[in-house]
Amino acid sequence: MSEIITVTGTVEEIIYSNPDNGYSVVGIDSIEEGQFTATGYMPFITEGESVALSGNWTTHPDYGEQFKAEYYETVMPSDEESIIKYLSSGIISGIREATAKKLVDHFGLDVLQIMLTQPSKLAEIKGISKEKAKKIGEQFAEIQSMQNIVMFLQQYGISATTAVKVHNSLGANSVELIKKNPYILSDMVDGISFKTSDTIAFNMGLPKNSIMRIRSGIIHILRSAAYTSGHVYMPKDVLIEHTVYTLKVTDDEVIAAVSELLSSKELFQDKVDGIDAYYLYSYYESEYYIARRLIAMSQNTQKFTMTEEKAEKAIDALEAKTNLYLAAEQRNAVVTALSAGCMILTGGPGTGKTTTINTIIKLLEDLKLSIALAAPTGRAAKRMSQVTGYEAKTIHRLLCTQRSSEGYSIFTHNEENPLPYDVIILDEVSMIDVNLMSSFLKAVKTGARIILSGDADQLPSVGPGNIIHDIIESKTIPVIQLNKIFRQAEESLIIVNAHKINHGELPDLSVKSSDFFFLRRKTPQDSAFTVMDLFKNRLPKSYNVNPISSIQVLSPTKKGLAGTIALNKLLQSHINPYDERRPQHVFGNITFRVGDKVMQTKNNYDMVYSRENGEDGMGIFNGDMGIIESISVRDKCMNIVFDEDKLVEYPFTNLDELDLAYAITVHKSQGSEFPIVIMPVCSFSPMLMSRNLFYTAVTRARDMVVLVGSEKTIQNMTMNNQFHQRFTGLTEKLVAVKKFVAEKEENS
């Protein structure tokens, strides 16, 4: 390998710059080397800057000799002409050539240092107010700190986009904080892994048994367990064994780090089923709060609580007036909703859950109670609105978000500022993790009642916890299970087969019905191409539907020929191929094009949207789907319409939170309903060949399901009723809190 050399010069021209990763081609004017072209990852490089480039000379077959920069650093211009050119480049808003000349004429070569350390003095220049001087100083300081963190992190392979997130999270002293504790990156910055922090720490000479490393490793393991396996805690022995194996340290070293984390209240130790359990402190608080609040609500008196006898009479009156008829299970659910402080309503498709909820809403309205409807995702909320005729909001929109004084996004509604509603009906509760459920319950005012609705047989939440299962298991609050399938629902093979799957019976694949089809294919590759043909040609032509809005491909996995990554590339290449007349933008391994169907993959509380009715709001959340309307390479952003009416100006710097959505995983489809679902059923990882995943996929379809693959896979999924165990303590906490309250009442 050639020896690294360093050349210095002034940036004369930005020939090309990729805003995502910082790769740039620039023209340099050097006293030593003359004029030459330099290439490399040089984010935020600006015309007029003086730079020191470290790398090697190379020869490009088309462009000749170039300097390939491995690293670069900004060297502040040192002569008046260079300073004027630098300040005139537009790097600081409000300074153009005339102002730059005035600044240099007045302050000379000290102008940049004054901008950084004494910006108020800039107001000595005519035309620069004290406020403008302050803003110029802030901008210049921001640029310096941003460039410092970008240049510091680039040597560890961290992209410019991620470096910006680091700067936004850690502030102007990012480099100093990272040098002091490199694990602050994975602890506090979304998108940076523990492995990356570990690499930086190793290069900085931190030993592998450093208490700092082990503490951060334990936090990483618990967080990873929460969002890959849904665990709220880990048993002591499991956590220690996993940490020892992952970090290659001793038991005693792990125990010492755990002790420190317990002392600093980053971890909490509890007993669950007689076993020592270690929680991240916030998860323990969330789980315990849920238990205390649900028990309190189940035992407190709510506004206009009815006796069972009065509730029965109210139902009789409504039935007589509307020709409504409720089955015994439905009637029991309505009586419970009117007489209890909180309850769970659960049942599969076709069991009359919607009719039951609509009846509850009507009778509560007759009592002049204020009612709110909510669901975890935009699509689930929209579906709830459609079937009830009432506006339903996402939980995040219901609770509202705002910036805290520390710069974090927090919910506006909480214990100090509760929601005003007397009744809140929450749908798709199986999707909600412990943290969101805790935040929701904190926002419910004292005396209000809640009705939690969902299908307990679907997949649990992506995040930590198993809320609906744990509440039902505890037997501490009323639960009404709807089982009867109504006559009109029995006409749908989707509903019939969904219940067959849920009971461990093979779905009927022989009936050539209008809403449930199976196409046999031998290989994953054959299945993938059939999925594409169905999506692009056969279904749109046969049923006159728009594939983008009406057809959703679901796959159990991201990986493999029939996984979402490969399917999205295949579907995009046929549905929305490259067109030189339309802009596109490449980010990582994904090419985004105008017209693409996309999905938000992380909660972003700060993303601003606007609606056609003039309403503005904040927050685009994990699972929200949209269509790319336009792409501006110049402005480094794209316009995306989410949930059909939320227009967002989506910056390229956030594209790590966006994915193509022609095909999505079954987990990502939770809470959604699609007119037509196509699902490849090939050989997948054993963990994904489960009954509840198959059941969840089939119940996402409203009008049609098409399965493509092998009967063997369908059989394996249907027969596999093995649930992946989640370490949760909510059931035990609910039982314990209820027992404590009962004993307290007995002794009072």
Side-chain angles (χ1 to χ4, degrees):
M1 182 181 289
S2 304
E3 183 181 352
I4 296 290
I5 62 173
T6 300
V7 296
T8 60
T10 302
V11 180
E12 292 292 310
E13 180 186 6
I14 306 293
I15 300 167
Y16 170 79
S17 180
N18 184 321
D20 298 322
N21 57 21
Y23 182 81
S24 303
V25 180
V26 299
I28 302 291
D29 188 4
S30 169
I31 295 174
E32 297 88 2
E33 304 292 343
Q35 293 185 333
F36 63 90
T37 299
T39 66
Y41 293 93
M42 297 175 280
F44 305 107
I45 199 164
T46 305
E47 290 181 6
E49 278 187 316
S50 296
V51 292
L53 308 176
S54 299
N56 302 105
W57 292 100
T58 61
T59 302
H60 191 279
D62 296 324
Y63 302 113
E65 190 176 52
Q66 297 180 335
F67 189 83
K68 183 180 179 182
E70 299 295 335
Y71 309 107
Y72 94 104
E73 60 178 319
T74 299
V75 179
M76 284 294 101
S78 56
D79 62 86
E80 291 187 354
E81 185 180 346
S82 297
I83 292 173
I84 290 171
K85 186 170 185 178
Y86 172 71
L87 292 176
S88 303
S89 67
I91 191 170
I92 299 173
S93 61
I95 297 182
R96 291 293 179 262
E97 187 174 0
T99 306
K101 285 180 178 178
K102 288 181 184 179
L103 287 167
V104 172
D105 288 343
H106 188 78
F107 296 109
L109 298 179
D110 295 330
V111 62
L112 298 179
Q113 186 63 25
I114 287 169
M115 288 171 61
L116 192 62
T117 60
Q118 297 175 285
S120 61
K121 295 184 70 173
L122 301 180
E124 296 173 11
I125 304 298
K126 187 177 181 180
I128 298 181
S129 65
K130 289 183 179 180
E131 184 64 28
K132 185 174 181 180
K134 181 183 176 184
K135 287 183 178 179
I136 289 173
E138 289 172 349
Q139 279 190 65
F140 190 56
E142 183 87 357
I143 290 165
Q144 294 300 299
S145 64
M146 186 80 77
Q147 289 179 332
N148 287 341
I149 187 63
V150 167
M151 287 185 283
F152 175 76
L153 292 175
Q154 68 180 352
Q155 60 188 309
Y156 301 110
I158 295 178
S159 70
T161 301
T162 304
V164 171
K165 289 186 176 182
V166 172
H167 181 270
N168 292 340
S169 296
L170 303 183
N173 296 322
S174 298
V175 174
E176 289 75 16
L177 291 171
I178 294 166
K179 286 180 177 178
K180 186 177 179 181
N181 176 13
Y183 296 100
I184 197 172
L185 286 168
S186 52
D187 288 347
M188 295 189 64
V189 184
D190 189 29
I192 296 187
S193 67
F194 176 80
K195 185 177 180 181
T196 299
S197 288
D198 215 23
T199 300
I200 294 172
F202 175 78
N203 289 331
M204 288 170 55
L206 209 66
K208 71 175 183 180
N209 65 344
S210 158
I211 195 76
M212 187 187 298
R213 176 176 185 258
I214 301 171
R215 283 178 59 143
S216 183
I218 291 168
I219 298 293
H220 157 71
I221 287 166
L222 286 167
R223 283 180 179 166
S224 180
Y227 284 94
T228 59
S229 303
H231 299 314
V232 183
Y233 71 86
M234 289 184 75
K236 178 181 178 179
D237 292 345
V238 174
L239 178 62
I240 291 174
E241 181 182 350
H242 193 28
T243 306
V244 167
Y245 175 80
T246 303
L247 302 185
K248 304 294 186 281
V249 291
T250 68
D251 286 32
D252 289 342
E253 288 166 340
V254 174
I255 291 168
V258 167
S259 179
E260 283 197 8
L261 289 167
L262 290 169
S263 297
S264 62
K265 290 193 174 182
E266 292 172 80
L267 294 191
F268 188 90
Q269 184 176 358
D270 195 23
K271 287 277 188 184
V272 179
D273 293 328
I275 298 171
D276 285 330
Y278 285 128
Y279 287 79
L280 288 173
Y281 202 87
S282 62
Y283 292 177
Y284 173 81
E285 285 188 321
S286 292
E287 202 173 62
Y288 187 46
Y289 184 87
I290 293 168
R292 287 190 294 113
R293 192 70 206 276
L294 287 178
I295 296 302
M297 294 183 74
S298 70
Q299 299 191 349
N300 291 344
T301 301
Q302 273 66 37
K303 188 176 179 182
F304 291 111
T305 297
M306 283 190 177
T307 63
E308 291 188 11
E309 182 181 355
K310 285 186 177 180
E312 291 279 6
K313 288 181 179 179
I315 296 170
D316 290 339
L318 184 63
E319 284 184 333
K321 187 167 60 176
T322 61
N323 294 321
L324 172 75
Y325 173 74
L326 297 180
E329 293 171 345
Q330 293 175 301
R331 195 177 184 92
N332 189 18
V334 176
V335 169
T336 304
L338 296 174
S339 58
C342 61
M343 68 169 289
I344 282 187
L345 175 64
T346 183
T351 57
K353 209 163 44 177
T354 297
T355 300
T356 305
I357 289 174
N358 285 338
T359 304
I360 292 169
I361 293 172
K362 180 68 178 73
L363 291 173
L364 290 171
E365 273 192 328
D366 290 345
L367 294 172
K368 309 300 181 186
L369 298 180
S370 57
I371 305 168
L373 277 60
T377 67
R379 294 186 70 88
K382 184 177 180 180
R383 180 184 175 195
M384 195 179 187
S385 297
Q386 290 170 341
V387 299
T388 63
Y390 294 82
E391 181 190 16
K393 298 179 179 179
T394 63
I395 299 173
H396 291 88
R397 187 174 166 218
L398 181 72
L399 301 184
C400 301
T401 56
Q402 65 182 31
R403 280 283 189 181
S404 69
S405 56
E406 294 82 19
Y408 297 110
S409 292
I410 58 173
F411 288 120
T412 302
H413 291 290
N414 49 40
E415 288 173 297
E416 288 73 39
N417 180 33
L419 293 161
Y421 306 104
D422 300 316
V423 183
I424 303 175
I425 302 175
L426 198 57
D427 200 15
E428 297 290 353
V429 176
S430 64
M431 294 180 63
I432 303 173
D433 64 28
V434 290
N435 296 324
L436 186 55
M437 178 58 81
S438 174
S439 295
F440 165 72
L441 290 174
K442 285 177 181 177
V444 178
K445 71 179 182 180
T446 302
R449 76 185 73 199
I450 58 170
I451 297 160
L452 306 176
S453 173
D455 188 340
D457 295 313
Q458 289 184 17
L459 291 169
S461 60
V462 174
N466 199 354
I467 297 291
I468 194 168
H469 171 271
D470 288 354
I471 295 174
I472 293 172
E473 189 76 11
S474 74
K475 298 181 175 62
T476 55
I477 70 170
V479 176
I480 305 299
Q481 170 86 43
L482 302 180
N483 296 304
K484 176 181 170 60
I485 303 176
F486 288 87
R487 186 183 305 169
Q488 62 269 31
E490 290 177 339
E491 297 173 4
S492 166
L493 202 56
I494 294 174
I495 291 175
V496 171
N497 279 339
H499 284 276
K500 279 178 173 285
I501 293 165
N502 198 31
H503 291 106
E505 302 171 25
L506 290 176
D508 191 341
L509 305 178
S510 61
V511 178
K512 301 299 180 183
S513 75
S514 61
D515 69 354
F516 200 101
F517 300 93
F518 169 68
L519 301 179
R520 186 178 296 104
R521 296 295 182 268
K522 292 183 178 179
T523 67
Q525 186 172 23
D526 289 344
S527 296
F529 276 97
T530 299
V531 167
M532 183 276 296
D533 188 41
L534 286 164
F535 191 98
K536 180 186 178 184
N537 301 312
R538 293 166 64 176
L539 293 176
K541 288 177 182 176
S542 298
Y543 297 95
N544 191 31
V545 294
N546 179 338
I548 301 294
S549 59
S550 297
I551 303 176
Q552 185 60 57
V553 177
L554 303 181
S555 177
T557 181
K558 291 182 178 181
K559 300 176 182 178
L561 292 173
T564 59
I565 295 172
L567 285 171
N568 272 318
K569 287 184 177 180
L570 178 66
L571 291 165
Q572 184 195 48
S573 67
H574 285 81
I575 298 294
N576 194 22
Y578 171 71
D579 184 341
E580 62 180 11
R581 295 168 298 180
R582 293 193 298 172
Q584 65 176 37
H585 181 71
V586 178
F587 183 86
N589 295 320
I590 302 175
T591 299
F592 292 104
R593 297 178 181 138
V594 173
D596 273 338
K597 185 177 185 179
V598 292
M599 173 179 275
Q600 181 76 7
T601 58
K602 296 177 182 177
N603 289 340
N604 188 321
Y605 297 91
D606 302 321
M607 197 76 74
V608 178
Y609 64 81
S610 59
R611 286 190 163 102
E612 286 186 0
N613 63 8
E615 176 192 346
D616 292 331
M618 290 181 67
I620 299 296
F621 301 106
N622 188 1
D624 286 354
M625 300 177 75
I627 304 293
I628 298 175
E629 275 201 342
S630 63
I631 297 175
S632 174
V633 176
R634 185 191 65 184
D635 296 330
K636 302 175 185 177
C637 69
M638 54 181 70
N639 285 337
I640 304 176
V641 177
F642 285 95
D643 296 332
E644 299 183 2
D645 67 345
K646 294 179 183 175
L647 178 62
V648 173
E649 189 176 277
Y650 205 100
F652 287 173
T653 52
N654 286 96
L655 287 178
D656 60 335
E657 300 175 359
L658 199 69
D659 205 350
L660 295 176
Y662 299 101
I664 62 176
T665 62
V666 177
H667 283 86
K668 287 289 187 184
S669 75
Q670 287 176 264
S672 298
E673 182 182 72
F674 308 100
I676 301 173
V677 165
I678 306 172
M679 181 178 173
V681 281
C682 311
S683 180
F684 300 111
S685 164
M687 283 185 64
L688 298 171
M689 302 274 281
S690 67
R691 182 186 300 173
N692 66 339
L693 185 143
F694 191 22
Y695 171 76
T696 300
V698 169
T699 54
R700 297 309 90 207
R702 186 186 70 208
D703 303 324
M704 184 185 301
V705 171
V706 185
L707 305 177
V708 183
S710 73
E711 294 101 324
K712 184 67 175 175
T713 297
I714 291 173
Q715 180 179 343
N716 289 341
M717 294 181 83
T718 304
M719 298 304 161
N720 178 16
N721 197 31
Q722 296 296 314
F723 286 92
H724 174 67
Q725 181 188 6
R726 292 191 168 200
F727 296 128
T728 67
L730 181 57
T731 297
E732 192 163 318
K733 287 180 178 62
L734 283 163
V735 172
V737 171
K738 186 168 185 176
K739 181 181 178 183
F740 173 80
V741 171
E743 290 174 350
K744 187 177 179 181
E745 287 179 352
E746 282 181 16
N747 297 327
S748 61

